[in-house]
Amino acid sequence: MLTDLAHRLLGKQPGELDVEERRVLAGIEAGTIVSRDAADVADERSTFGERLSDRVAAIGGSWGFIIAFSVVLLGWMLLNSDILTHFGGAFDPFPYIFLNLILSTVAAIQAPVIMMSQNRQSAKDRLAASLDYETNLRAELDILRVHQKLDHIVLDRLSALEGKIDRLCAALPTG
């Protein structure tokens, strides 16, 4: 049946089909649904590290993080410039070398994690495009099958009508 569907609907041999086309034809043959949610499929395939990078990117790219981080930086600078300097206990006085080290470390860790999340998002987008292609192909093939059935019904009706017309013409008196 798969060979017949591949040849009739796509004009290809089964060996020429790509993965999506094979899956769509198998779905048509089995009468099952092929559409799937790309987010669910991506989540099923994701590793712990990928989910963690998504979470870090979501937190690091939020206004809450920016505001909280700004408050911490401002507090650090005020603490080491005015408050602790007044008591002679500033552990990171201006030019805040230790703060710069911490910021560099955070940036060095956060940037690759965000890039991992972006790569994962790109993979999700490719998966969504592939699943959309499968759904569109299935819909197109189903429409094609409906058209073929309608064409067959119309041709059968036309043949029946031609037969009736021929019988009526034969029954008419000539003369």
Side-chain angles (χ1 to χ4, degrees):
M1 176 89 171
L2 185 66
T3 304
D4 178 51
L5 285 173
H7 190 303
R8 189 167 40 93
L9 297 176
L10 296 173
K12 295 181 177 181
Q13 295 300 322
E16 298 171 340
L17 300 174
D18 60 24
V19 176
E20 291 91 359
E21 291 170 337
R22 226 179 257 116
R23 194 174 8 252
V24 167
L25 291 178
I28 289 173
E29 186 177 42
T32 59
I33 297 172
V34 294
S35 59
R36 296 173 288 167
D37 184 15
D40 292 342
V41 174
D43 289 342
E44 290 170 5
R45 297 178 182 176
S46 68
T47 64
F48 173 75
E50 291 171 335
R51 289 189 304 273
L52 180 63
S53 69
D54 286 346
R55 189 71 184 132
V56 169
I59 292 170
S62 68
W63 279 108
F65 176 79
I66 292 170
I67 292 168
F69 205 66
S70 297
V71 167
V72 168
L73 292 177
L74 185 62
W76 183 288
M77 289 184 269
L78 285 174
L79 188 68
N80 281 290
S81 294
D82 292 336
I83 299 170
L84 292 179
T85 303
H86 180 68
F87 296 109
F91 59 91
D92 188 23
F94 184 81
Y96 313 115
I97 295 171
F98 186 55
L99 178 61
N100 283 320
L101 175 66
I102 291 171
L103 292 174
S104 298
T105 303
V106 167
I109 292 170
Q110 191 177 22
V113 170
I114 290 171
M115 286 175 29
M116 285 187 282
S117 180
Q118 288 174 338
N119 290 340
R120 182 165 142 72
Q121 185 60 46
S122 294
K124 281 182 182 180
D125 291 343
R126 285 189 300 276
L127 176 63
S130 174
L131 294 176
D132 286 347
Y133 170 74
E134 284 183 30
T135 302
N136 292 340
L137 180 62
R138 172 68 182 260
E140 188 175 343
L141 293 178
D142 282 341
I143 290 169
L144 181 64
R145 289 173 59 210
V146 168
H147 276 287
Q148 288 174 347
K149 286 179 184 179
L150 286 174
D151 290 346
H152 185 68
I153 290 170
V154 167
L155 289 175
D156 286 349
R157 294 287 293 165
L158 284 175
S159 291
L161 287 173
E162 283 179 347
K164 286 181 181 181
I165 290 172
D166 287 345
R167 283 191 302 278
L168 285 173
C169 284
L172 287 175
T174 59

